[in-house]
Amino acid sequence: MKNYHTHVPVPQGGYLCSVTREDWPRVASAEGMTPCFGIHPWHAAGVDAAEPAFELDEWLSRYPQADVGETGLDGCEAHRGSMEAQELLLQVHLGAAFRHDRMAHLHGAHAWGRLQEILRERRRTGTMPRVLLHAWNGSPELARQFVQLGCVFSVGLRELTHPKAAERLAPIPADKLFPETDDHPEDWPKVLALLAAMKGI
């Protein structure tokens, strides 16, 4: 089983996500990992969305095994002020993922509802790429709606040990739910054990 969302190269392999444009060469050169090129919503403020729009196409053409991410939306108080910039960048990432037939790895903290609206509109217009929702912690109803949109999910130790974890993950089929460690590769054994206990994965 590979790691579906990490920022640190790991022995089991998986998806190594960047957080800034400067991070792309690092993830591209990591052995045994699938690089993911993106700009995290925490870093959206002040970024001219036109620049990564061209660069992402270049990097995805150069690395045909790569995915897109980390990208998405963050509606928490510290980042709410950059929501317009976040949405512009997200659309750039989703467009590149769709054109190159790659998976988009999405962050959605405090913004799952808005993220779903954006994906629904892309599905309506036939421009929705494959999507992985990282660190899933939304409601069961939102989970059901994202499943209907064809999304897959990844969770780490923080999500799996939350008091509402079983409730939040119940609507997600086992074949749509994957393990991740984010910034904590040492959590891998516990993540696998908890997923196995909860969903038989």
Side-chain angles (χ1 to χ4, degrees):
M1 177 71 75
K2 60 187 172 184
N3 193 323
Y4 273 72
H5 187 96
T6 179
H7 297 291
V8 183
V10 289
Q12 66 271 20
Y15 297 93
L16 182 62
C17 291
S18 58
V19 293
T20 65
R21 165 61 185 81
E22 291 69 31
D23 213 13
W24 295 3
R26 178 186 72 88
V27 302
S29 64
E31 290 187 16
M33 304 296 296
T34 298
C36 302
F37 304 123
I39 298 173
H40 195 288
W42 292 355
H43 300 280
V47 174
D48 179 356
E51 292 181 12
F54 290 106
E55 287 188 301
L56 259 177
D57 279 322
E58 248 180 56
W59 281 73
L60 292 172
S61 296
R62 198 184 318 165
Y63 295 92
Q65 80 281 21
D67 274 351
V68 173
E70 180 173 359
T71 182
L73 300 176
D74 194 305
C76 73
E77 188 175 349
H79 303 289
R80 207 172 293 147
S82 66
M83 191 59 74
E84 184 178 350
Q86 290 182 41
E87 290 201 14
L88 282 172
L89 266 182
L90 172 61
Q91 294 288 7
V92 165
H93 287 83
L94 292 173
F98 176 75
R99 287 191 301 277
H100 293 267
D101 191 24
R102 312 296 172 86
M103 186 159 64
H105 297 245
L106 304 186
H107 172 110
H110 305 281
W112 294 118
R114 178 58 185 147
L115 192 56
Q116 187 184 89
E117 290 173 2
I118 290 170
L119 294 179
R120 281 191 182 282
E121 178 59 18
R122 280 196 162 267
R123 185 177 186 182
R124 188 187 68 78
T125 59
T127 59
M128 180 177 160
R130 291 175 288 126
V131 166
L132 178 137
L133 303 174
H134 134 74
W136 173 254
N137 62 1
S139 70
E141 181 54 34
L142 275 174
R144 279 187 283 273
Q145 293 169 11
F146 277 118
V147 168
Q148 290 173 356
L149 281 171
C151 301
V152 298
F153 306 75
S154 64
V155 288
L157 191 60
R158 177 184 52 202
E159 294 77 43
L160 288 164
T161 53
H162 191 277
K164 293 186 176 179
E167 179 185 349
R168 290 171 171 176
L169 301 179
I172 303 173
D175 64 350
K176 304 288 185 186
L177 185 63
F178 302 102
E180 66 158 80
T181 57
D182 206 0
D183 290 310
H184 302 283
E186 70 278 4
D187 290 346
W188 185 246
K190 292 179 181 177
V191 170
L192 290 184
L194 284 168
L195 262 183
M198 192 174 296
K199 301 288 281 190
I201 297 173

